[in-house]
Amino acid sequence: MTETQDTMTAAAKAATRQKVARLAFWSIVVAGVVLALKVAAWYITGSVALYSDAAESIVNVIASAAAFWAIQVSYKPADQDHPFGHHKAEYFSAVLEGVLIVVAALLILNEVWRSWQHPAPLEQPWKGLAVNGVATVINAIWAWTLIRTGRNARSPALVADGQHIMTDVVTSVGVFGGLVGAVLTGWQILDPVLAVIVALNILWQGWHVIGSSMSGLMDRAVDTQEHMLIRDIISANSKGALEVHDLKTRIAGRATFIEFHLVVDADMTVGASHVICDRIEDALKADIPSVRVTIHVEPDDEAKLPKGTSAVPFA
């Protein structure tokens, strides 16, 4: 890779970092605005279902702040204490978000119990639903933005934040439809029933967020499609080598770590084998963002396949 290409890559990474950090900051602002609207909707109507919607938005505010902190930490360069970087910091944010979702669900169920003990009719339901509807539209647009950008930038914190907000959107739409039905039919029991459904739904989502984050913390390998892409790139750029084996991958936030053994002729010079390694690394970096490659060069007596096998196969 040339110096110009290195400069362009560094500039692209810096631009991505700024974009992710900017979105993480504005996510806090948007979450705060949405929370205010949903609290207003609950205050206007006294609906326990809208209370449940507002409780989930409190989680959004805290989780957005945690995601902003985690993203700042994850972009810090490697240092003596963290020689492989700080990429996994974003997973802690996602785990915290999952835990907060569970707490919000328990608070909602507690409010449902109180509502059943002391039932009360809804006040100004249409006004409250209109306010809640505005908050839902804002949330939907923002969730889509966070998920799309988070996936492109390989930011688990942004993706987790966006997925949780999208869950909030789905539950808000369900609450809206259910409360409209309650108002039109007079079936006030629909209000606490909807709140229970919301609580159970976000409990499920919280478990999913925690599970995904824990998988990342446990050094999960890349998926099958990306694994095959890596194999193809290595094979296509290993001319001069004899074999590749023990390919391993792991994901840490935005970074993908790849390591494998490259078998070459025992008489090949160190310089010649280094040229092959550089060619493979450059090809992987060109196709996979934030990749870290470790190649262990071995002589031909370490090969696992029979001699005479061609096309740099994988053992």
Side-chain angles (χ1 to χ4, degrees), residues 17-299:
R17 174 182 178 177
Q18 291 177 354
K19 185 175 183 179
V20 170
R22 187 166 57 248
L23 277 178
F25 171 77
W26 281 105
S27 192
I28 302 173
V29 177
V30 171
V33 171
V34 169
L35 172 61
L37 289 171
K38 289 190 175 184
V39 169
W42 164 59
Y43 182 79
I44 291 170
T45 62
S47 165
V48 68
L50 291 182
Y51 169 87
S52 70
D53 215 9
E56 190 173 4
S57 291
I58 294 175
V59 175
N60 288 348
V61 174
I62 299 173
S64 295
F68 179 72
W69 168 83
I71 287 170
Q72 299 300 315
V73 174
S74 71
Y75 272 105
K76 290 174 62 177
D79 53 35
Q80 185 174 354
D81 294 328
H82 305 88
F84 292 98
H86 301 76
H87 310 287
K88 288 188 177 182
E90 293 193 40
Y91 289 122
F92 291 101
S93 168
V95 170
L96 173 62
E97 184 164 350
V99 172
L100 290 174
I101 290 173
V102 174
V103 172
L106 295 177
L107 290 175
I108 292 168
L109 292 174
N110 179 67
E111 187 65 20
V112 169
W113 177 249
R114 290 176 56 192
S115 175
W116 264 325
Q117 290 182 314
H118 307 285
L122 299 179
E123 302 176 8
Q124 303 184 70
W126 298 117
K127 184 178 180 180
L129 286 171
V131 173
N132 193 262
V134 172
T136 301
V137 171
I138 294 173
N139 254 358
I141 295 172
W142 192 248
W144 178 79
T145 302
L146 289 178
I147 293 173
R148 185 188 63 175
T149 305
R151 285 175 177 167
N152 291 338
R154 302 190 66 162
S155 170
L158 276 190
V159 172
D161 202 16
Q163 288 175 337
H164 177 219
I165 294 174
M166 189 59 75
T167 302
D168 192 12
V169 171
V170 173
T171 55
S172 295
V173 171
V175 166
F176 186 91
L179 287 180
V180 168
V183 173
L184 294 178
T185 63
W187 296 349
Q188 299 300 325
I189 190 64
L190 285 176
D191 185 28
V193 168
L194 284 170
V196 171
I197 294 173
V198 170
L200 294 177
N201 181 55
I202 66 176
L203 271 174
W204 169 254
Q205 292 299 325
W207 175 255
H208 177 72
V209 170
I210 292 173
S212 298
S213 303
M214 292 301 293
S215 179
L217 288 171
M218 293 297 291
D219 288 337
R220 176 176 58 87
V222 301
D223 59 34
T224 302
Q225 183 177 355
E226 188 163 7
H227 183 84
M228 296 309 297
L229 171 64
I230 292 169
R231 285 173 61 104
D232 290 343
I233 292 172
I234 294 172
S235 293
N237 293 275
S238 298
K239 184 179 180 181
L242 302 176
E243 178 187 295
V244 174
H245 58 245
D246 292 349
L247 173 63
K248 298 176 184 177
T249 64
R250 66 182 177 91
I251 299 174
R254 296 177 308 281
T256 299
F257 290 83
I258 301 171
E259 62 177 72
F260 57 90
H261 293 192
L262 183 73
V263 179
V264 300
D265 190 292
D267 295 327
M268 179 178 286
T269 65
V270 173
S273 63
H274 190 262
V275 169
I276 299 174
C277 292
D278 281 347
R279 187 168 63 241
I280 296 172
E281 286 188 46
D282 289 344
L284 288 169
K285 290 177 180 178
D287 282 89
I288 303 173
S290 300
V291 71
R292 307 287 192 275
V293 184
T294 302
I295 305 174
H296 180 65
V297 178
E298 296 182 330

